[in-house]
Amino acid sequence: MADETLAGFPTRFEWALDDLRGLVSGRPIIAEGWGLRPELVATIIDSPRRMIVMVPSEGFRERQLRELPRAAAVNHAVSDPGRAQRNRLARDRLVADEAARSARRLSIRVLEVDGLDDAEAVADIVVDHFSSYLPLPNVCGP
């Protein structure tokens, strides 16, 4: 499952680029998503400082499973829902681990999100990361 997912990222990345090309802004654009893999994004940025990779810690994943019904749900009919869930979680771990390895190999910062910081604190870390490279006014609000 992980290999198949990783193999599909280049196509997803091209779709994301198509969407981003449609945006017109005098400011830098912050984009996030499953298909924005470090090794793909690195080919279109001028510095590894223009990117940050956020990955969930194991504790964060476990908390999501406990607290978010959608995280614990298997949303399609399968013969063994428990196995399907274990496989999905293993795939997600492998894909996130590969993103972190790829980012580190490319000197791109990796931020492990552990759930101890609230969304605002995580946003502040991201703002600090980018503002040290290029000031970005209003990246977190209207």
Side-chain angles (χ1 to χ4, degrees):
M1 282 176 59
D3 288 341
E4 185 176 306
T5 299
L6 290 168
F9 282 132
T11 299
R12 287 179 177 196
F13 182 63
E14 288 303 318
W15 295 340
L17 287 179
D18 286 344
D19 291 343
L20 291 170
R21 285 181 191 110
L23 300 174
V24 178
S25 173
R27 298 188 213 166
I29 297 169
I30 294 179
E32 67 82 27
W34 179 250
L36 299 177
R37 305 296 295 175
E39 65 278 6
L40 299 171
V41 176
T43 66
I44 64 166
I45 57 177
D46 62 354
S47 167
R49 294 278 307 133
R50 294 254 189 193
M51 183 176 184
I52 187 169
V53 172
M54 296 172 38
V55 294
S57 70
E58 190 58 33
F60 187 80
R61 284 188 185 98
E62 290 170 6
R63 181 176 160 200
Q64 282 184 308
L65 289 171
R66 281 192 317 272
E67 297 178 11
L68 296 175
R70 65 180 165 77
V74 175
N75 295 321
H76 48 280
V78 294
S79 61
D80 187 342
R83 181 176 178 212
Q85 176 73 325
R86 288 188 302 277
N87 287 343
R88 183 180 65 82
L89 295 172
R91 178 209 58 197
D92 290 354
R93 281 184 194 97
L94 290 169
V95 170
D97 290 348
E98 175 55 30
R101 276 192 304 278
S102 178
R104 288 183 181 110
R105 187 173 56 250
L106 295 164
S107 300
I108 295 168
R109 182 176 179 185
V110 176
L111 173 60
E112 186 175 65
V113 178
D114 57 16
L116 299 177
D117 294 320
D118 64 14
E120 188 173 325
V122 173
D124 287 344
I125 293 168
V126 173
V127 168
D128 287 344
H129 170 80
F130 288 115
S131 65
S132 66
Y133 181 78
L134 175 69
L136 300 175
N138 293 327
V139 293
C140 292

